[in-house]
Amino acid sequence: MIGVFDSGIGGLRLLDQLRQRWGQEDFIYLADQAHVPYGSLDRDTLLELLQQNLRWLEDQGAKTIVVACNTASATGIARRYIGQAQVIEIISKTCELIPESARKILVLATPFTVQSHRYKQVLAQQRPQAEVKEVGLSCLAFMIEHLCPKQEILAYLQGELRAYRGQYDAAVLACTHFPFAREQFAEVLQIPLIDSESIALEAPKKAGQGTLRIVTTGSGEQLSRQLHQLMRWDAVCEHVQIEK
Ligand code: DGL
């Protein structure tokens, strides 16, 4: 079984991709909506939540856990997790998707991811010639999580990003929530946009029955509604309480 994790709805797009690639695998998706947005939490709080949440996924049978969240990946949880499951972070794999030709790269992320400078560090290794600018969009994950109207998202992005228009070769949507606003980013920036959805992952060795379970630490009904509105998926989502 493969666990896919995010603070909220962002990781659902990567889950969708993974199910298209590995339809015979069993998946469990956990959204920690009791604590979303992660991007404004501090590192110790995040690491504690992540340890608990990933352990819970492992207890449900997940042998591999894809951390479909840049903020969580930026804490270094893939190295720090205490448990048996293989934990995969997405930042280095996302950087590999940036076109070779891009010299000036804009990284758009949550405040935590920006402060960690994880993208800058990875890109300094992968392509030392590139000029990288990291920009925090502190309200956007929250707006997307709460299904904010597109016009409001566009107005927010225009306010935050107008100054960067025409200055960069490519932008990384370095928060898994952000691709839900891909059209609005495209309208404001008009440059190629890269995200985590097509990252290369090694195929699992064993297949399952193709089952899917979607759980949240928030409201199951609310996640079902979000899923319907954003993905056109009709699924019953369960609420779970994850104890310390
Ligand atoms: N979707 C997450 C990310 O990729 C976190 C958003 C949040 O909860 O702030 O960074």
Side-chain angles (χ1 to χ4, degrees), residues 1-2 18-19 21-28 61 63 203-212:
M1 182 188 286
I2 298 181
L18 295 179
R19 289 192 78 220
R21 285 186 231 172
W22 307 327
Q24 287 308 305
E25 263 300 329
D26 295 324
F27 285 92
I28 178 165
K63 300 272 184 280
K205 293 192 179 62
K206 279 191 198 151
Q209 309 293 316
T211 63
L212 173 62

Side-chain angles (χ1 to χ4, degrees), residues 6-7 36-39 69-71 110 141 175-177:
D6 185 36
S7 59
V36 69
Y38 268 17
C69 173
N70 288 269
T71 307
T110 65
C175 166
T176 53
H177 280 67

